[in-house]
Amino acid sequence: MAIELIDRKESASYKGSIYELTLLWDRESIRKCFCGMPPFFAHIRKDGANFATIDCYSNDNGRFAVKKFMPSLLARPDWQVRFDKDINTIPLLELLAGLPI
């Protein structure tokens, strides 16, 4: 069962920093694909700088992963956290509380 494609752009103050969540779906590409597609943008910024990337797919309503942003594709992230929820059902502050911040 596919998740409901909800674009999210929200910010919250957490532990003295401002975090911004961006989740934007490319609905045109999703219509052309028979399997789940990742969002066009899915990331978290901390105080205006890249902080984490989000791995989720349009056909997966039961889990997603957040991993520390790494400037190089060859580098491995320091941490990665998996969530067993639909990304649209978890509030930003709850998401941040589950990360190693």
Side-chain angles (χ1 to χ4, degrees), residues 46-59:
K46 176 182 178 182
D47 296 329
N50 292 329
F51 174 69
T53 58
I54 301 170
D55 291 330
C56 59
Y57 288 86
S58 61
N59 65 345

Side-chain angles (χ1 to χ4, degrees), residues 2 6 14 17 29 34 39 43 45-46 56 73 75 81 89 91 95:
I6 299 174
Y14 183 73
S17 295
S29 294
F34 68 92
H43 61 267
R45 294 175 60 85
K46 176 182 178 182
C56 59
L73 294 175
V81 179
T89 63
L95 173 64

Side-chain angles (χ1 to χ4, degrees), residues 14-15 20 26 40 45 57 63 83 96:
Y14 183 73
K15 293 188 177 181
E20 302 167 27
D26 181 4
F40 191 57
R45 294 175 60 85
Y57 288 86
R63 62 183 173 252
F83 292 87
L96 295 173

